Amino acid sequence: MLFCIVFISHFLLFAFLKEAVRLPDQTNLILIFINLGIFATVLELWFPRKKDFKPTKFDMSLNMFFLAFDQFLLRPFLGIYTLFVFVPFLQKTFMVLHLYQLWRSSWPFYVQSLLIFLLMTFSTYWAHRLMHIVPLFWHFHRLHHVSQKLNWFVTFWNHPLHSLMIFSFAMFFPILFAIPEPILIYPILITVLVSTLNHANFKMEPTSLNYFFPSVLEHEIHHSMNFKEAGHNYGVSFLLWDHVFNTYKSPQQSVTEEVGVKGWEGNNQDKKRYTLFVLRDFIWPFRKLK
Ligand SMILES: [Zn+2]
Ligand SMILES: [Zn+2]
């Protein structure tokens, strides 16, 4: 229930900011994100789902590092990458097909938003699934899985190569079809809201909304230390493609004992060494696990 309340209230707040305050969409997104972070932190303190998932001061130093890296370094880098590398590359390789002519800007705004949301979640579903299947990709995706606690900060525990791959898959169709930026704003908003909430450690009762929009109960299965169990619920913000490609698992079908990565050398180490292991994985993720 809390998932629905926080999700819907932030969605409506964004719609209000967009229509009534008329700040740039990017500014509205940042405001919503700050609000969501405050909400999630307070809810995790007041209604913790698992008491042992509460971050220690060592966890918090990592959390702040990954959050700051994501927001202040990675985001500007991805902007430059899109402009100078990704768009010219797609223009050279795919634009000759003139696929953008298939997209009609005369279609209603919400139809275009829904269609592009379906395409973006389709491509990121496969990017995420490939990261679990292809060993090279798993090396830089595993950082997202090494934390043995889930809280909303874990959303940002990502290696830059992971973020680059997810971002490239997510933006493939929007660039291919030359989608105008305003059409992307609600798909991006939903992705930010759901992917942050489904790492948060506050009590969430299952609701029918979670059949498509995963809460922490669905996403925790994906973070299971059991690698076979982790091969489910690849959709971080939308589970339709897991239903279609038969990788969906409901919380009723599965009990996640532990989250994390088996054999990862940071496990069971003292807190200081654990922090160093995580940072080492961030700098060089291509080491083999014992
Ligand atoms: Zn994963
Ligand atoms: Zn996750």
Side-chain angles (χ1 to χ4, degrees), residues 59-70 72 153 157:
D59 297 324
M60 277 317 287
S61 59
L62 284 171
N63 289 341
M64 295 322 272
F65 169 76
F66 285 121
L67 178 65
F69 182 85
D70 184 277
F72 300 121
F153 287 101
W157 282 48

Side-chain angles (χ1 to χ4, degrees), residues 49 150 197-200 202 204 214-220:
R49 190 175 70 93
L150 287 185
L197 285 175
N198 67 23
H199 291 92
F202 58 80
M204 299 183 205
S215 73
V216 70
L217 301 175
E218 284 77 15
H219 195 57
E220 186 176 51

